[in-house]
Amino acid sequence: MEQTNILARARRYEEQHRTPAEKRPAFHAVPPVGWCNDPNGWSYYGGRYHLFYQYHPYGTNWGPMHWGHAVTKDFLHWQDCPCALAPDTPFDQNGCFSGGAMEWKGKQLILYTGVMPEGESEIQQQCLALGDGETYEKAGAPVLTCDEQPAGASRKDFRDPFLFAQDGMVYMLVGGRGFNGHGRLLLYRNPHPEDAAARWQFVQVLAENDGSLGSMWECPGLFTMEGRTVLVISPQFVHQAADDRYHCGNDTAALIGRWDGPGTPFVRQADQPLDSGLDFYAPQTLETPDGRRVLLGWMQNWDHCYPPQGAPWYGQMSLPRELFWQGEVLCQRPVRELDAARRLRVEHRGVEVENRPVTLDGVQGRVLDCDLQVDVRRARRFGVRIACGKERWAEVRFDLEDGLLRLDRRHAGGCRDALELRETPLLAPAGDTLRLRMVLDRYSAEFFLQDGQQGASMTLYDAPADADVIRFFANGRACMDLRLYDLAL
């Protein structure tokens, strides 16, 4: 009865306090009410894409973690589903933390991290739930305990299972941490994961942090695309010291290499950030029925969690992004479903931008999709200011001589000493032509540079809703072609 009461209470609350559509983003996923952070269980099941997420329905602050739930068929229109999991058993009473989901033998299989107290601390263990896409039943105990790790492991840093199937087995990749403080990714397998009594077999330490990229590696993911294997990680406590591709604190990275399957070593050959902006963390990927690899992240940063006063919800997901290769670079672009929704509003060609801000007829708004192609041969700097109002703006800037990308929202309306400015290398140098796609959706901006070779995201919660002017600026002379689209949603 205790389990039923806690979950039922969350479901009643979200139904009674559901935020109307006009106070949400137009096409980004957000909770119906309350707080959300990491995406969970990003998967395809029953003809729909399922997004679960870390969820606290009772306030716009982090709290006892539930699993919220939404579904979509096109990555643009999101349907709220009832809260899927609540912290209502002894083994997850301190929170239902992140995890994965997949279809298995006709059911939706969920593995998540249950957190429970242990003395003055807590421990993390992997737990099972099975469902039909709407209702989920938990197993009566953890199916993989913190004691089933290799020697030298932290009992309180063992979390975020990611699932995939191969050769009749389900594999679980889990983030762990040795007593040296470094993260490592642990691989387990089970031919009968739906059976709570069937134990998970340890396979290998798939990858381990040598201390050069943060400490704990959260929210792991794994996929192979066109012969190359990618490990997705979210490292904590990153030091910017020797590599300013990554910002200090919590970041995301793709470790790119070769892997010949379970039991063989992962040979790391390269790494790259998955987003160069202010707000992006804990991404997950899925494979669509037509073979696309689609990435989705929490469009937020732990160092900038300041809900606007009176906000009914806080925390949103990024636009789902298709991953693809350009040479050795893992690239990303908005899902093609967004392309299909574009309707040309205005086009400008041969616009000269030189040493003073330029505005253009028809180029304004907070929900739009825009393509820019800029001749920058005679420009030292080029940038775009968005969400401009009275003494308000945010901007993306390209310092071409120095090879730097700069996102700045210090003037967007915030009044806290928080993460408002980021400067990072241009990973895809512009050369003679800068190509930029800019997607705005009420409370956010996402930028895709040089045909997706570099992405950068930021939220815009503090910018007033009527601040919708867009300005272009340059040092030196830039010549710009622009196509701006409305979205038929």
Side-chain angles (χ1 to χ4, degrees), residues 322-336:
E322 296 180 20
L323 299 179
F324 63 101
W325 297 104
Q326 285 191 42
E328 301 299 312
V329 179
L330 182 62
C331 302
Q332 51 191 292
R333 60 189 166 217
V335 286
R336 62 194 64 175

Side-chain angles (χ1 to χ4, degrees), residues 382-398:
F382 176 81
V384 185
R385 285 187 173 177
I386 59 174
C388 298
K390 184 178 180 181
E391 299 180 344
R392 295 284 182 264
W393 71 87
E395 74 177 33
V396 57
R397 189 174 88 191
F398 307 92

Side-chain angles (χ1 to χ4, degrees), residues 349-356 358 372-384 398 400 432-434 472-481:
R349 300 182 64 85
V351 177
E352 296 284 342
V353 182
E354 184 176 7
N355 297 327
R356 63 184 182 85
V358 171
L372 298 173
Q373 184 163 300
V374 190
D375 183 336
V376 292
R377 287 175 293 178
R378 292 175 291 173
R380 297 180 298 278
R381 177 185 299 160
F382 176 81
V384 185
F398 307 92
L400 304 165
D432 293 342
T433 304
L434 176 70
F472 306 91
F473 62 92
N475 285 95
R477 179 181 296 177
C479 185
M480 176 178 68
D481 295 339

Side-chain angles (χ1 to χ4, degrees), residues 346-366:
V346 66
E347 181 176 10
H348 294 274
R349 300 182 64 85
V351 177
E352 296 284 342
V353 182
E354 184 176 7
N355 297 327
R356 63 184 182 85
V358 171
T359 58
L360 300 171
D361 290 342
V363 179
Q364 77 281 326
R366 293 282 288 274

Side-chain angles (χ1 to χ4, degrees), residues 85-139:
L85 301 176
D88 51 20
T89 72
F91 51 82
D92 62 16
Q93 62 182 281
N94 284 16
C96 300
F97 277 19
S98 296
M102 63 180 293
E103 183 170 355
W104 182 254
K105 297 183 178 179
K107 291 286 190 177
Q108 194 168 28
L109 175 77
I110 290 176
L111 271 295
Y112 70 97
T113 298
V115 186
M116 63 181 292
E118 184 178 63
E120 296 183 357
S121 185
E122 61 185 20
I123 59 174
Q124 299 178 346
Q125 305 179 99
Q126 312 322 313
C127 304
L128 168 68
L130 288 170
D132 58 6
E134 295 184 3
T135 302
Y136 301 89
E137 183 176 352
K138 296 178 181 178

Side-chain angles (χ1 to χ4, degrees), residues 221-262:
L222 173 71
F223 63 89
T224 296
M225 190 169 66
E226 297 179 19
R228 280 172 281 193
T229 297
V230 178
L231 280 171
V232 175
I233 60 171
S234 293
Q236 294 183 301
F237 310 116
V238 177
H239 291 282
Q240 196 176 15
D243 191 344
D244 54 6
R245 295 178 303 158
Y246 300 98
H247 63 70
C248 295
N250 303 286
D251 214 324
T252 63
L255 309 183
I256 301 166
R258 188 183 74 250
W259 187 51
D260 295 326

Side-chain angles (χ1 to χ4, degrees), residues 144 164 166 169-173 187-193 198-204 262-263:
L144 182 64
F164 66 96
Q166 185 173 318
M169 293 267 191
V170 169
Y171 287 83
M172 183 198 317
L173 185 65
L187 187 65
Y188 297 81
R189 66 185 173 198
N190 192 335
H192 303 291
R199 303 316 299 171
W200 288 82
Q201 177 189 2
F202 175 72
V203 178
Q204 68 188 109

